Amino acid sequence: MIGDGTRLIITKKKSGGGTRLHFSGDITIYTARKLRDLLAGFIGRGGPIELDLSDVERIDTAGLQLLVSAKRECARKGLACAVTGRSREVTGILDLLGSAL
Amino acid sequence: MSAGEAYDIRNAIALFFVEAREMLAMMEESLLSLEKNPLDAESINTLFRSVHTIKGSSGMFALEAVERFAHEAENVLDGLRRGAIGIDDALMGVLLDCHDHMARLIDRHEMDPQPEPDGELAGAGRAILERLRRYGPEGAAAPPPDGMERAEGPRGVDALPGADVVVAGNHWHISLRFGPDLFRDGLDPRSFIAYLGERGRVSGIVMVDDRVPGLDAMDPESCYLGFEISFEGVCGKQDIIDVFEFAGDDCDVRVLPPQSRIGEFVRFIRDINEPPMRLGEILVAVGSLTEGELEIALSLQSARGAGRVGNDEAPLLGDIVVNEKMVHRPVVEAALVKQRDLARTEERKGKSLRIDSDKLDDLINNIGELVIIGSTVRQQADRHGDAALAQSVDSMSRLIGDVRDRIMDICMVPIGDTFRRFERMVRDLGRESGKEIDLVINGGDAELDKTIIEKITDPLMHLVRNSIDHGIDVPAERERKGKPPRGAIAITAYHETGNFVIEIADDGNGLDRERIRSAAIEKGMLSAAQTPGDDELFQLIFAPGFSTAGTVTSISGRGVGMDVVKKNVEALRGSIDVRSVDGEGVMIRINLPLTLAIIDGFMVAVNGALYIVPLDLVREVVEVGRGETAQMDGANIVNLRGEALPFMRLREFFGQDGGELETECVLVVECMRRKAGIVVDRPVGEFQTVIKPLGAMFRGLDWVSGATIIGTGEVVLILDVPRIVQGDHRVRTLAG
């Protein structure tokens, strides 16, 4: 599954009963809306979710907020949601803003 | 006391003075830096540490007056460090005066070690302490940095026991709640927080994301975030609020100053109207409250909350009591406490060694003798013709050269350290005369022999003073002339073909040619008929007693300065040039020849006598036939591969007879980017030797820069090539 028209490519893999989503590119205000829709779809299908952020090149606060929301959504539905892999950009913004993901 | 002990104490005391002065220099440098950047935490720390060190060491050596003084200053600086007071103009002035006074106390003690200062010095000290005390902890007039208020609020909370306990933490607490439209307005919390980090140190931060809904309910373009931050910085409440000013309505900022009381935290928790337990955990996580303090805060908060019946948001008393009894849940997931290393100033000290300069002088003398004997050995080995010996001598000469270079390098000091001392002077003089002047330093890394630097410092200072005093106008006048109100003085240093060049340039009015002319005519230095060019005219300002200053100030204008400057520069065998553009400024250039004590020379013979020319000035040696020379504008020139090279004959220069030779040997030299030729009888070869200064008897010989003794015991003069080339007017004008 490929995000179109934006600099964000999400690759979905089956990973032991669950879904692993690999993000490459930008998770920002510009890709947020699209990402929200995609994530809502994946999470709606059930099963544990893995978010692989190791190739995220750009992330802003709106993007981070969206990921927080995604985790919260999983928690609400009782699904496991883990973040595996953080690119340097991701750890950078987490450190700066005092957030854990 | 035994002789050994007495020696140790003297040594220790000598060391104290050196270090105390270093601390004072550090203090002054930090103050000047703070003047430009009042929020620089590192400068404040350096400032505090320098005074603290002075206090400690002067106490050890029983300089009580200095210790007492430093102690008072330290109190004030502690307040500065904690952010309780901010640095303003008046405080800057007092602290600089403290620095000056401590310097005087130390100087005086060095000359005359009496415990108490007398008379005038004591009185001056008392006056400064008076002004200083107003900023101390007892001082009522301590000016809090603008806008720092204690949070106002109903007395209610404060009346409760525990409310007035001051928290242990030593930093600001900043609470941010961003509005929903933040992202849509094109803003991002990241930039504000990064900027905050530049103004000080964010020691703890937690993102408050409790209001972020699940994916279905959230609008990706709305902002639901807040932050709790503990912040160390030297500033006022308004300064922090200003950081977020650009966010306007999109950000609610609440600021709690350092050493707030618990009651104020309670007010804050109440005001934010979020679940207090959660908020409390965050406050502990970022380090703004200890767990004990939080307990007190929460119990106070619940005591307040109980009174607000009917408010849905107010927590039920029961909940709070139950929650309080719980062990505080560590907020591991949500809390990240930032650890950022403050650059340690110790790193700046680097790896260096204190050396007794006498020992260094001895070493330099030794290496000088080694060079001479090395040259002699080489000559003797040459005559021997033994190949193995020649090779060994080669290696030996190379090694001697290396050792020589390294020792000379030790004596070289970056000139920037000296230039930086001018900053204080520029600041003070500028203020005195109501002018705003920036000092720009270029090439501070360029290195020069320490003794030369010591001799050139005073002349440079005088030139800078002149620029401030006579060159640059007050801001109003500058604006009238279409210039920026702040004037600038630029000091630039660099190496150039055998010279060390220092330029002092200002963007003031430039030299007034008419004024100089008329003053010169008045003093009889010029006749009314003469119309000298710029070069000659400007050199007149260096004549003794010459001054065109309309007003004589305390600094300059008495006409005793510039001639001394020129004399000092010439004593170093240097030269000084002046360039000026009307209305735009003056540039004074000082050339100092880099004749090291040990010289690589090129030996030549003229009329049976030997002379040495500095090797680094020699470009090549050519033989020129009689027919190849010509005359142009009265100067001799020769065609050097298409270039017209002016030359002069040393025999003529020495007033000796030459014959007309069939071929002449021309030494092509280059200095100050100009080439010229010097005709000698014959070249002898490269020769490395030590320059010996000539005695007073020879001071009139300005074409000689020194002498040396060669292996045979003969005395050989070293030619001052730039002088010779310049002195020959024909060569000079043709070379440009």
Side-chain angles (χ1 to χ4, degrees):
Chain A
M1 170 88 70
I2 301 204
D4 52 64
T6 55
R7 292 184 50 190
L8 176 59
I9 299 174
I10 305 171
T11 321
K12 184 193 88 168
K13 285 200 175 79
K14 279 231 176 289
S15 160
T19 313
R20 180 155 141 257
L21 295 173
H22 174 268
F23 296 81
S24 167
D26 307 345
I27 302 183
T28 63
I29 184 78
Y30 303 105
T31 56
R33 201 163 275 288
K34 196 78 193 172
L35 186 55
R36 193 276 300 264
D37 296 342
L38 284 168
L39 281 174
F42 284 122
I43 293 175
R45 289 179 214 178
I49 304 264
E50 242 181 82
L51 303 172
D52 179 359
L53 305 177
S54 45
D55 286 316
V56 172
E57 282 165 29
R58 265 197 278 252
I59 179 167
D60 65 5
T61 308
L64 176 59
Q65 179 180 259
L66 190 66
L67 294 173
V68 168
S69 175
K71 279 196 84 168
R72 193 147 292 169
E73 185 70 28
C74 287
R76 240 164 245 166
K77 293 192 153 80
L79 300 172
C81 177
V83 171
T84 57
R86 292 167 180 76
S87 68
R88 215 162 42 153
E89 292 302 311
V90 172
T91 34
I93 197 173
L94 292 177
D95 279 346
L96 180 69
L97 299 184
S99 170
L101 202 56
Chain B
M1 173 185 316
S2 72
E5 279 173 44
Y7 175 75
D8 283 342
I9 292 212
R10 269 206 305 278
N11 247 17
I13 291 182
L15 195 59
F16 160 77
F17 282 112
V18 170
E19 287 186 343
R21 291 201 173 98
E22 278 175 13
M23 290 296 113
L24 281 175
M26 229 163 78
M27 178 185 177
E28 191 181 53
E29 199 179 306
S30 328
L31 281 170
L32 289 176
S33 169
L34 273 172
E35 198 165 32
K36 297 184 204 135
N37 302 312
L39 294 191
D40 181 14
E42 182 166 337
S43 290
I44 303 238
N45 278 327
T46 309
L47 180 58
F48 180 86
R49 270 205 305 279
S50 56
V51 174
H52 180 75
T53 308
I54 293 176
K55 181 187 87 166
S57 49
S58 56
M60 267 203 315
F61 289 95
L63 274 77
E64 284 163 18
V66 180
E67 185 193 10
R68 263 184 282 126
F69 211 89
H71 180 73
E72 299 261 3
E74 192 192 40
N75 281 344
V76 173
L77 291 174
D78 189 44
L80 197 64
R81 213 166 48 139
R82 287 182 289 112
I85 61 175
I87 196 152
D88 62 1
D89 242 20
L91 180 56
M92 175 67 65
V94 177
L95 290 174
L96 281 171
D97 285 344
C98 283
H99 162 278
D100 294 346
H101 187 74
M102 284 194 285
R104 282 177 72 190
L105 286 175
I106 289 176
D107 285 345
R108 204 201 68 98
H109 199 275
E110 196 177 21
M111 285 200 300
D112 174 22
Q114 286 199 23
E116 287 304 318
D118 51 6
E120 186 262 322
L121 203 52
R126 272 194 297 273
I128 299 180
L129 284 179
E130 270 300 306
R131 293 156 62 201
L132 199 55
R133 285 202 183 104
R134 276 186 253 132
Y135 296 91
E138 300 101 46
D146 18 277
M148 173 166 149
E149 310 116 25
R150 300 260 140 196
E152 296 295 329
R155 294 293 305 161
V157 170
D158 295 321
L160 294 169
D164 56 356
V165 172
V166 173
V167 302
N170 216 358
H171 41 242
W172 299 84
H173 183 83
I174 306 171
S175 171
L176 304 172
R177 293 293 181 272
F178 287 99
D181 293 327
L182 185 80
F183 298 145
R184 276 184 284 268
D185 287 342
L187 303 171
D188 188 326
R190 179 183 210 168
S191 34
F192 294 103
I193 291 170
Y195 184 54
L196 189 65
E198 284 171 36
R199 312 302 299 279
R201 179 174 171 247
V202 175
S203 49
I205 178 168
V206 169
M207 183 167 90
V208 180
D209 55 19
D210 300 47
R211 284 188 301 132
V212 175
L215 283 178
D216 288 333
M218 72 110 61
D219 171 11
E221 287 162 12
S222 288
C223 179
Y224 305 91
L225 299 171
F227 295 86
E228 298 295 330
I229 302 172
S230 80
F231 176 73
E232 286 170 31
V234 182
C235 50
K237 182 171 173 182
Q238 193 56 43
D239 293 319
I240 294 180
I241 292 175
D242 284 347
V243 169
F244 302 95
E245 180 197 333
F246 195 59
D249 287 337
D250 287 328
C251 182
D252 276 338
V253 188
R254 291 175 181 82
V255 178
L256 286 158
Q259 308 198 321
S260 291
R261 292 162 298 159
I262 293 190
E264 280 149 31
F265 277 89
V266 174
R267 255 193 289 276
F268 160 61
I269 293 174
R270 177 175 56 77
D271 193 43
I272 277 230
N273 228 350
E274 291 172 10
M277 267 300 292
R278 165 79 173 136
L279 185 57
E281 283 170 356
I282 297 179
L283 290 172
V284 170
V286 297
S288 295
L289 283 182
T290 65
E291 299 208 341
E293 288 162 355
L294 177 62
E295 279 189 29
I296 299 176
L298 289 178
S299 61
L300 289 176
Q301 195 274 344
S302 69
R304 284 275 306 156
R308 291 189 303 180
V309 177
N311 183 342
D312 289 345
E313 308 262 346
L316 296 172
L317 182 57
D319 284 351
I320 298 209
V321 168
V322 166
N323 284 339
E324 276 176 22
K325 292 288 187 272
M326 281 170 64
V327 173
H328 290 284
R329 291 190 304 272
V331 190
V332 171
E333 282 175 347
L336 285 171
V337 176
K338 276 181 59 164
Q339 299 281 331
R340 197 182 84 185
D341 289 337
L342 283 174
R344 300 250 124 248
T345 350
E346 273 67 34
E347 272 175 36
R348 270 208 308 232
K349 286 193 199 149
K351 297 168 277 201
S352 58
L353 200 61
R354 250 192 253 286
I355 302 180
D356 190 330
S357 55
D358 283 343
K359 290 187 187 171
L360 196 57
D361 285 343
D362 287 343
L363 186 58
I364 292 178
N365 281 339
N366 270 149
I367 194 66
E369 287 165 31
L370 187 58
V371 166
I372 293 180
I373 199 71
S375 285
T376 311
V377 167
R378 183 184 219 134
Q379 283 191 330
Q380 290 168 348
D382 281 346
R383 265 178 262 144
H384 236 269
D386 182 307
L389 180 61
Q391 220 177 20
S392 302
V393 169
D394 249 346
S395 305
M396 184 189 77
S397 300
R398 241 194 333 265
L399 276 169
I400 293 182
D402 281 347
V403 174
R404 176 203 72 177
D405 285 341
R406 289 185 210 280
I407 292 186
M408 295 330 290
D409 190 60
I410 291 179
C411 300
M412 302 283 265
V413 167
I415 197 165
D417 298 341
T418 306
F419 290 165
R420 265 179 279 282
R421 285 196 277 158
F422 296 168
E423 280 183 0
R424 175 78 192 273
M425 178 181 79
V426 169
R427 176 201 181 271
D428 289 347
L429 285 180
R431 268 156 196 263
E432 260 176 54
S433 48
K435 300 176 186 174
E436 291 169 14
I437 304 182
D438 290 321
L439 182 65
V440 177
I441 296 176
N442 299 315
D445 290 338
E447 293 187 341
L448 190 59
D449 186 272
K450 194 168 191 298
T451 41
I452 298 184
I453 291 187
E454 279 163 23
K455 293 183 188 157
I456 203 70
T457 301
D458 278 346
L460 288 177
M461 256 203 281
H462 185 87
L463 292 173
V464 172
R465 277 190 185 134
N466 253 13
S467 283
I468 299 175
D469 220 35
H470 302 300
I472 299 185
D473 290 323
V474 291
E477 187 63 23
R478 283 178 65 88
E479 282 183 332
R480 209 176 58 79
K481 293 180 180 162
K483 291 183 181 177
R486 293 191 75 87
I489 297 180
I491 306 187
T492 310
Y494 55 93
H495 287 266
E496 185 188 74
T497 53
N499 280 288
F500 190 91
V501 184
I502 303 173
E503 291 174 355
I504 299 182
D506 67 51
D507 68 347
N509 295 321
L511 293 176
D512 187 337
R513 286 179 182 77
E514 263 321 299
R515 264 258 204 80
I516 297 178
R517 264 201 84 215
S518 38
I521 292 173
E522 204 187 295
K523 297 193 209 298
M525 299 178 192
L526 214 56
S527 84
Q530 291 176 276
T531 47
D534 270 1
D535 278 349
E536 267 187 65
L537 185 64
F538 293 152
Q539 285 292 323
L540 290 175
I541 65 180
F542 296 111
F546 188 97
S547 171
T548 63
T551 52
V552 171
T553 66
S554 65
I555 311 164
S556 49
R558 285 186 230 278
V560 295
M562 290 305 251
D563 66 322
V564 173
V565 168
K566 184 168 188 192
K567 242 198 291 270
N568 280 354
V569 169
E570 288 185 341
L572 293 168
R573 316 210 61 84
S575 62
I576 184 164
D577 276 316
V578 181
R579 235 151 273 192
S580 165
V581 178
D582 271 338
E584 290 194 13
V586 175
M587 198 262 277
I588 300 187
R589 174 183 291 154
I590 296 179
N591 276 301
L592 298 172
L594 291 174
T595 46
L596 303 178
I598 295 179
I599 188 177
D600 281 322
F602 190 84
M603 200 182 293
V604 296
V606 180
N607 203 28
L610 294 173
Y611 301 89
I612 287 190
V613 171
L615 187 62
D616 63 353
L617 298 180
V618 178
R619 291 289 163 264
E620 56 187 302
V621 180
V622 293
E623 284 206 343
V624 161
R626 187 163 7 142
E628 294 171 62
T629 64
Q631 293 248 329
M632 192 161 96
D633 293 336
N636 296 311
I637 55 165
V638 63
N639 182 337
L640 185 70
R641 296 182 299 270
E643 200 185 313
L645 182 79
F647 68 87
M648 46 92 74
R649 297 185 172 91
L650 273 181
R651 272 183 180 248
E652 278 178 30
F653 185 79
F654 293 149
Q656 292 160 348
D657 249 338
E660 282 284 325
L661 301 166
E662 275 302 316
T663 56
E664 294 179 285
C665 176
V666 180
L667 214 63
V668 180
V669 296
E670 181 179 354
C671 54
M672 290 180 280
R673 286 193 231 127
R674 299 182 196 151
K675 278 201 188 142
I678 301 181
V679 172
V680 302
D681 287 357
R682 65 181 172 88
V684 176
E686 286 183 33
F687 194 86
Q688 187 189 84
T689 185
V690 178
I691 300 179
K692 299 282 186 205
L694 288 169
M697 203 189 318
F698 297 92
R699 215 157 273 168
L701 293 179
D702 66 357
W703 48 269
V704 169
S705 64
T708 187
I709 302 176
I710 60 175
T712 61
E714 225 175 302
V715 174
V716 170
L717 297 177
I718 300 173
L719 300 178
D720 186 338
V721 167
R723 275 276 164 74
I724 292 178
V725 164
Q726 283 229 318
D728 192 314
H729 186 78
R730 301 165 300 165
V731 172
R732 182 167 61 134
T733 49
L734 206 55

